[in-house]
Amino acid sequence: MGDRSMYTKAVHAGDDHSSHYGALSVPIYPASVFAFTDADEGAAIHNEEKDGYYYGRLGNPTQRALETAVAELENTDAALALASGMAAVSAAIFTLVKSGEHIVAPQSMYATTTNFLHHLKERFDIETTFVDATNAENYRAAIQPNTKLFWIETPTNPLVLVTDIEAVTAIAREHGIATVADNTFATPFNQRPCELGVDAVIHSATKYLGGHSDLTAGVLVGKSEVVESARHGANKFYGGNIAPQVAWLVIRGIKTLALRMERHNSNAFAIANMLGDHPKVEAVYYPGLESHPNHEIAKRQMPGGYGGMIGLDLGTVEAGKIFANSVRLCTLATSLGGVETILQHSASMTHATISREDRLKAGITDGLIRLSVGVEDVNDLIDDLTQALDKI
Ligand SMILES: *Cc1c(COP(=O)(O)O)cnc(C)c1O
């Protein structure tokens, strides 16, 4: 299905009716143990000479259906589905880097990934240099003799910054360094980093792939050597396997991924433009706006659209709070990627426990709002956001 549209792929990726008695919807296999026909077969499956299942932590037909689907959507070799986005982040890093080695990563990105990299330094002597990833050359400048991995996240959480994936992977290839991209914000509908040269992609499937704010899951997807070594290493040792029931829910979410993303993209584009023209809004961050510093790169590497995530700055903590307290249709919550529009005021929510100085260093200004635009009617959303802005 290589050349089919993403709309078709989202519906049919991973289809394998004949393996499941013709069932159109892949069955949920709630099995932790699988029987062998005889001892020789048991040995062959254990040795990976024969394809098959034997123990729940190491795979399941429902999990495999999800993996096949995501690998097709990202247009790459293989995938490993896991229990959360962070299980995918840690599986990728533990597969590609060991003690005494070095990583280069964005200075502004998903905060738990940043904290995990600090944890790796403290506990495992794996050091990370954090760079301004909006300029690919900063990755080159940070290379050390022991650099093994360039971590990319684009667009980033929460400032929607954009990294030039092709430029970073080109530098990595020159130096034999692996590359992984967190593609959670864009999804394969908007952007396919494996086509641009990265070795692997991770997803928090909790967000857009699942799409309904009703599950926690993750996927590592990319070149077979990375994915299979994660499957038989990090996943086997540290656990973090996905439950078959959850894998099924992600598959169900993916069926409408293209439809949902088309709407997330068009709603967010209209709302970003409205916010850009509003006198109460000091700044809007959205890769689809010409005012975005890396708009030209986003235009090139995000052929499907610019996504549903918008950052907006209302200037002060007070203004941010008034706005957050005034929305009626939009919901105050910290996640993203669901069908419903949710927003958070970082200074009084996710970043309330850190000092103002550290928060500002991370680019989280006093009045920053992160908006995850849902698939509701755009005029209803604009009405709600406008009445909340009017209260400031
Ligand atoms: C949510 C998120 C993660 C972590 O995913 P979980 O499913 O919460 O473990 C990683 N990266 C990004 C960009 C995210 O938004």
Side-chain angles (χ1 to χ4, degrees):
M1 30 170 119
D3 51 0
R4 292 210 177 121
S5 144
M6 288 300 285
Y7 291 90
T8 306
K9 282 190 177 184
V11 174
H12 290 290
D15 273 359
D16 182 14
H17 303 156
S18 62
S19 296
H20 307 290
Y21 295 96
L24 259 67
S25 163
V26 66
I28 300 169
Y29 289 83
S32 58
V33 191
F34 297 81
F36 305 120
T37 50
D38 59 29
D40 285 342
E41 192 200 34
I45 292 177
H46 269 98
N47 296 338
E48 295 159 37
E49 283 158 16
K50 183 176 173 178
D51 195 25
Y53 305 97
Y54 60 104
Y55 185 60
R57 175 159 40 78
L58 307 173
N60 171 292
T62 317
Q63 173 184 339
R64 179 168 302 182
L66 169 60
E67 293 170 345
T68 309
V70 178
E72 277 180 31
L73 290 171
E74 288 285 3
N75 200 11
T76 182
D77 303 344
L80 171 64
L82 293 146
S84 70
M86 285 312 298
V89 170
S90 56
I93 292 176
F94 282 134
T95 299
L96 294 165
V97 183
K98 56 183 195 296
S99 246
E101 294 181 338
H102 175 248
I103 301 170
V104 184
Q107 70 194 10
S108 175
M109 64 170 168
Y110 185 66
T112 308
T113 305
T114 306
N115 293 336
F116 177 58
L117 293 171
H118 288 309
H119 168 85
L120 289 178
K121 168 69 186 148
E122 281 162 30
R123 302 296 294 269
F124 299 101
D125 190 32
I126 293 170
E127 196 175 353
T128 299
T129 301
F130 295 95
V131 298
D132 172 359
T134 61
N135 179 353
E137 284 304 316
N138 291 335
Y139 279 86
R140 188 197 304 277
I143 294 174
Q144 302 178 4
N146 58 343
T147 304
K148 286 287 157 18
L149 173 63
F150 283 173
W151 190 266
I152 299 168
E153 181 180 306
T154 183
T156 59
N157 189 346
L159 294 171
V160 216
L161 303 172
V162 168
T163 297
D164 186 335
I165 299 172
E166 260 184 320
V168 174
T169 55
I171 297 166
R173 261 195 310 278
E174 278 172 39
H175 294 86
I177 294 167
T179 43
V180 177
D182 184 332
N183 201 30
T184 299
F185 268 36
T187 82
F189 181 82
N190 285 338
Q191 162 181 290
R192 287 174 296 283
C194 295
E195 292 176 355
L196 303 173
V198 303
D199 297 308
V201 155
I202 74 97
H203 278 284
S204 169
T206 312
K207 316 294 169 52
Y208 290 105
L209 295 187
H212 295 75
S213 311
D214 57 3
L215 61 87
T216 304
V219 185
L220 168 65
V221 51
K223 289 186 179 155
S224 304
E225 64 255 37
V226 177
V227 172
E228 296 317 320
S229 115
R231 190 187 312 281
H232 301 292
N235 172 63
K236 196 170 185 173
F237 300 142
Y238 305 118
N241 54 292
I242 193 169
Q245 293 84 353
V246 176
W248 185 87
L249 271 178
V250 180
I251 294 169
R252 177 161 167 144
I254 287 173
K255 302 278 179 200
T256 56
L257 178 70
L259 291 175
R260 287 186 285 108
M261 290 316 297
E262 178 186 86
R263 183 66 160 250
H264 285 298
N265 288 342
S266 65
N267 278 1
F269 193 81
I271 289 170
N273 277 290
M274 178 281 278
L275 294 169
D277 293 338
H278 200 285
K280 296 277 174 64
V281 179
E282 298 205 345
V284 184
Y285 308 106
Y286 187 65
L289 295 180
E290 277 171 23
S291 59
H292 187 282
N294 275 345
H295 173 66
E296 287 306 318
I297 295 166
K299 207 161 131 184
R300 176 158 40 81
Q301 75 185 12
M302 303 181 77
Y306 302 104
M309 298 303 299
I310 302 175
L312 58 141
D313 196 339
L314 299 174
T316 63
V317 171
E318 196 49 32
K321 273 194 185 167
I322 295 172
F323 178 75
N325 290 337
S326 303
V327 289
R328 296 193 192 113
L329 172 59
C330 305
T331 305
L332 269 192
T334 51
S335 191
L336 61 108
V339 289
E340 57 286 288
T341 298
I342 63 181
L343 60 86
Q344 70 157 19
H345 175 222
S346 305
S348 64
M349 295 169 69
T350 40
H351 293 70
T353 54
I354 69 169
S355 72
R356 179 165 187 267
E357 193 194 345
D358 285 351
R359 172 162 63 67
L360 292 178
K361 241 189 252 162
I364 315 296
T365 48
D366 293 342
L368 183 73
I369 300 279
R370 185 183 75 181
L371 189 60
S372 170
V373 178
V375 301
E376 299 95 334
D377 185 289
V378 72
N379 293 317
D380 290 336
L381 292 174
I382 287 176
D383 286 349
D384 187 43
L385 296 168
T386 305
Q387 67 78 27
L389 288 170
D390 290 343
K391 301 265 162 52
I392 297 170

